[in-house]
Amino acid sequence: MEKIEATNFIEQIINDDIDQGKVTEIQTRFPPEPNGYLHIGHVKSMLVNFGTAKKYGGKCNLFFDDTNPSKEKTEFVDAIRKDIEWIGYNWAKEVYASDFFEVIYNYAEQLIQDGKAFVCDLSPEEISATRGTLTEAGKESPYRNRSVEENLQLFREMRAGKYPDGSKCLRAKIDMASPNMNMRDPVIYRILRSTHHRTGDTWCIYPMYDYAHPICDYMQGVTHSLCTLEFEDHRPLYDWVGINLGFAPKPRQIEFARLAITNTVMSKRYLKKLVEEGHVHGWDDPRMPTVTGLRNRGVPPEALVDFCTKIGVVKANSECQLSYLEACIRDNLNENAERAMAVLEPLKVTLTNYFGTEELETAIHPLKPELGTRKLSFSSVVYIDKSDFSLNPPPKYQRLKMDGYVRLKNAYIIHCDEVVTDENGEVTELKCSVVENSRSANDTSGIKVKGTIQWVDGATGVDAEIRRYSYLLNDAEYVGQDFGERMNLDSEHIFCGKAEPYLSEVENGVPFQLMRVGYYKKTTDEQGKLVLSEIVSLKDNFNKKGERQ
Ligand code: ATP
Ligand code: MG
């Protein structure tokens, strides 16, 4: 196996291991617990696990860490598989911690035989009360010195279901005075009557994560067990298990920083709260940072991989700006999304000197002339966006005003002759005239206009529900850390807009740049009505607090 040019500290460590002849093939694993949906933090973990193995020509397994039967479900297993495939990674093998329950059990008997584990009758409360503190040693369990024979018998009886839940556990015999709390005779097996999503009721004892994980890694031939920083303090226990069970070669655990992003949460616990309290429509709500939410939003998977690649793999935790993720999405869509026109708040414009209809032409993608053009119909009524007309324009206003000119994108220059208002003074219609010889690409009118705005043809345009999103959470830096206080209760805005008919003809799911509006995904609702939902704004128009400006 060849070394590669290291781009981060993990690759540096792997290169050193290759130099020292410690490894001949790289094996990693992506280890989700099937207790919820994957989020964008997991994409980073995928990149680290699948990506690193791939770079070295090695393999990465999909490893379901299912040692916690009460929270795990097959529904999540299926969703996780789908999400990984969508991101674009392939796993070598699909493996479950539960595949190894028998092996893990046998290793526990081995620890008992070697005098390195004991059955403890203290309750969970008593165990935590005797653990000591960071400055004070813990107290040894009165059951610590049971004989090997007694321990073996009790442990077998635990497995056979002789004892109630929580009445006994198996603990590793390490050091109650260790400065590392995880090494103070940690519990490695508990009694728990809970139906497991794969092994059913076969087991009433389940291994703890810290004990099971190194065994599962070893059984899979994992060379480098890559995980997030919160496991750093658990590494001595990871190594203790490997050393005391005689693993050779012993897998090596390396920790990297978790991905954290402003204006959002990544923790499953909080995401669940958002779903359960009805702040979002579900796990796949387009505002959610879940992989299923991002997919539903129309974010291209390549943009997520690009983002995780660019932020890199480092050893220190930090928070990344959401605007940086958005920039990656925007770069991708600018390149790949076709252009089209829609208005959020339609304002009727009657062109008093224009009669009949006409087919204009527009580029399918301005950056890709090779894609050619498509037709755009034009007639005597068009809709522009309300925000593109002002009755009391500020100085230097470049869009449409009374007695002013503006260019309709890919069409004509128009002049506003008359403003129609209702009894409240609201503008309801504009009467304009088309400037002669001002057609785009063929303009000999001699009139210079500063503003160009998008429009929708009145004769052929279709009604569209346009959904625009703000961030789910305000930024912690400005409003304190509390999750409840940070919630933005007004993050979905629905407009009854209009769009050119082309948008209702294309396939569902296609992303578009709606000119001057943003990047949107096309879908239809149950009634077949056109729905356009925001993927990302055209430019970064959120302030530092995360409010839309
Ligand atoms: P959560 O805190 O959201 O519940 P988790 O850590 O419990 O996440 P797991 O299913 O255990 O989720 O995670 C699978 C892998 O993904 C683990 O190796 C974990 O370290 C990694 N991971 C989880 N969140 C992040 C993140 N924000 N950034 C990078 N890696 C992450
Ligand atoms: Mg976890």
Side-chain angles (χ1 to χ4, degrees):
M1 185 188 34
E2 299 275 310
K3 284 197 296 182
I4 61 165
E5 196 178 323
T7 59
N8 61 48
F9 77 98
I10 294 180
E11 292 169 5
Q12 193 57 59
I13 293 175
I14 295 179
N15 280 350
D16 291 347
D17 285 349
I18 295 173
D19 275 344
Q20 293 165 24
K22 287 186 187 162
V23 285
T24 51
E25 193 178 53
I26 300 304
Q27 172 78 55
T28 60
R29 83 287 171 268
F30 172 61
E33 185 179 351
N35 65 351
Y37 290 87
L38 298 184
H39 49 64
I40 184 169
H42 291 114
V43 179
K44 177 170 178 185
S45 178
M46 278 183 227
L47 192 89
V48 174
N49 284 294
F50 287 104
T52 306
K54 199 168 168 184
K55 279 190 184 176
Y56 284 92
K59 294 193 181 111
C60 178
N61 288 344
L62 168 55
F63 173 70
F64 286 108
D65 172 27
D66 59 349
T67 50
N68 221 342
S70 48
K71 293 192 196 150
E72 293 151 6
K73 285 199 220 148
T74 307
E75 169 201 341
F76 295 131
V77 168
D78 295 339
I80 289 171
R81 277 199 211 107
K82 180 174 166 189
D83 286 350
I84 302 171
E85 282 171 346
W86 180 70
I87 294 291
Y89 287 114
N90 301 308
W91 50 93
K93 285 192 200 139
E94 182 174 313
V95 187
Y96 294 76
S98 52
D99 294 340
F100 303 117
F101 277 173
E102 193 66 41
V103 178
I104 297 169
Y105 175 86
N106 288 333
Y107 274 127
E109 285 210 354
Q110 184 182 324
L111 287 178
I112 294 174
Q113 299 274 16
D114 294 343
K116 290 169 180 165
F118 65 98
V119 172
C120 182
D121 296 3
L122 295 180
S123 66
E125 296 74 36
E126 286 165 330
I127 290 177
S128 93
T130 50
R131 264 182 100 206
T133 63
L134 283 176
T135 50
E136 232 177 276
K139 226 174 99 202
E140 289 189 353
S141 161
Y143 305 98
R144 199 174 197 262
N145 296 315
R146 276 177 163 153
S147 68
V148 168
E149 293 67 34
E150 190 185 0
N151 278 322
L152 256 188
Q153 188 190 339
L154 291 171
F155 188 51
R156 287 176 182 165
E157 286 171 354
M158 277 167 62
R159 175 181 182 166
K162 191 161 173 196
Y163 305 108
D165 288 8
S167 62
K168 288 189 187 337
C169 64
L170 187 70
R171 296 174 72 177
K173 197 191 270 192
I174 310 181
D175 177 9
M176 287 307 288
S178 170
N180 185 330
M181 302 288 277
N182 297 311
M183 299 296 271
R184 294 186 183 173
D185 292 3
V187 174
I188 60 175
Y189 259 96
R190 60 200 164 135
I191 306 175
L192 179 68
R193 283 170 181 80
S194 175
T195 304
H196 188 278
H197 74 115
R198 291 183 80 236
T199 57
D201 295 318
T202 307
W203 293 89
C204 65
I205 56 171
Y206 289 97
M208 303 304 285
Y209 173 89
D210 279 344
Y211 164 65
H213 204 78
I215 298 175
C216 294
D217 279 347
Y218 180 63
M219 296 307 293
Q220 296 173 75
V222 166
T223 53
H224 296 86
S225 183
L226 311 175
C227 61
T228 36
L229 269 186
E230 71 272 22
F231 292 103
E232 196 170 20
D233 284 347
H234 299 242
R235 184 168 9 110
L237 181 51
Y238 183 95
D239 289 339
W240 184 92
V241 172
I243 291 166
N244 286 281
L245 291 175
F247 293 169
K250 194 173 72 58
R252 175 169 191 169
Q253 176 177 307
I254 308 171
E255 309 85 15
F256 60 91
R258 281 181 95 82
L259 172 64
I261 306 179
T262 57
N263 303 100
T264 189
V265 272
M266 226 78 92
S267 146
K268 279 181 210 148
R269 195 157 56 101
Y270 288 126
L271 293 175
K272 199 162 168 220
K273 209 168 140 87
L274 290 171
V275 174
E276 282 172 358
E277 291 179 5
H279 300 295
V280 292
H281 305 303
W283 286 96
D284 66 346
D285 186 293
R287 291 164 293 174
M288 291 282 272
T290 50
V291 174
T292 170
L294 291 157
R295 174 170 56 235
N296 190 21
R297 184 145 181 168
V299 172
E302 297 81 10
L304 297 177
V305 174
D306 179 40
F307 166 71
C308 290
T309 307
K310 283 182 176 149
I311 53 172
V313 181
V314 292
K315 188 87 199 175
N317 278 326
S318 67
E319 199 178 42
C320 177
Q321 294 293 320
L322 188 50
S323 57
Y324 192 60
L325 168 61
E326 292 181 335
C328 292
I329 300 170
R330 213 174 274 131
D331 282 352
N332 180 295
L333 292 173
N334 182 37
E335 180 76 25
N336 297 312
E338 280 185 34
R339 276 37 174 185
M341 292 199 287
V343 292
L344 291 175
E345 295 179 284
L347 173 60
K348 185 177 177 185
V349 175
T350 303
L351 302 170
T352 50
N353 63 344
Y354 189 91
F355 306 98
T357 60
E358 189 176 0
E359 298 269 278
L360 303 170
E361 249 180 328
T362 178
I364 286 179
H365 195 307
L367 304 177
K368 297 179 180 174
E370 67 278 12
L371 293 180
T373 59
R374 62 182 174 79
K375 296 274 187 268
L376 200 59
S377 57
F378 188 79
S379 63
S380 59
V381 172
V382 297
Y383 290 95
I384 66 169
D385 202 273
K386 248 187 197 149
S387 64
D388 285 331
F389 176 80
S390 177
L391 257 186
N392 304 299
K396 297 196 180 155
Y397 187 74
Q398 299 195 345
R399 291 164 282 165
L400 195 57
K401 58 188 177 193
M402 180 59 202
D403 233 355
Y405 290 101
V406 80
R407 172 169 294 284
L408 299 178
K409 177 84 183 165
N410 290 318
Y412 296 92
I413 298 173
I414 58 170
H415 177 266
C416 181
D417 308 313
E418 190 187 333
V419 180
V420 183
T421 53
D422 63 12
E423 62 274 19
N424 304 319
E426 280 274 325
V427 179
T428 53
E429 186 186 345
L430 303 177
K431 296 197 189 290
C432 298
S433 43
V434 170
V435 172
E436 250 178 71
N437 301 321
S438 67
R439 204 166 99 179
S440 289
N442 200 10
D443 179 2
T444 55
S445 67
I447 293 190
K448 294 270 165 283
V449 288
K450 293 239 169 71
T452 299
I453 62 175
Q454 85 279 19
W455 53 276
V456 171
D457 176 35
T460 58
V462 292
D463 289 338
E465 179 174 312
I466 303 183
R467 301 175 183 163
R468 216 169 72 165
Y469 304 111
S470 300
Y471 300 146
L472 265 181
L473 294 187
N474 294 307
D475 196 355
E477 203 187 315
Y478 294 91
V479 282
Q481 297 288 334
D482 181 65
F483 179 70
E485 282 169 37
R486 289 178 59 196
M487 200 102 68
N488 175 7
L489 298 175
D490 189 25
S491 55
E492 182 182 57
H493 304 265
I494 299 203
F495 296 87
C496 299
K498 288 211 179 273
E500 55 170 304
Y502 180 61
L503 284 165
S504 54
E505 290 156 19
V506 298
E507 247 178 87
N508 277 344
V510 174
F512 277 91
Q513 186 197 95
L514 299 182
M515 280 180 225
R516 301 182 64 245
V517 178
Y519 292 97
Y520 281 69
K521 185 181 92 163
K522 182 258 161 150
T523 50
T524 40
D525 68 10
E526 295 85 42
Q527 284 78 41
K529 186 178 168 192
L530 176 63
V531 177
L532 299 166
S533 355
E534 185 180 43
I535 305 171
V536 67
S537 57
L538 267 187
K539 53 184 197 314
D540 187 7
N541 51 15
F542 289 86
N543 67 15
K544 283 227 156 94
K545 292 183 192 174
E547 293 157 349
R548 195 185 266 271
Q549 291 173 311

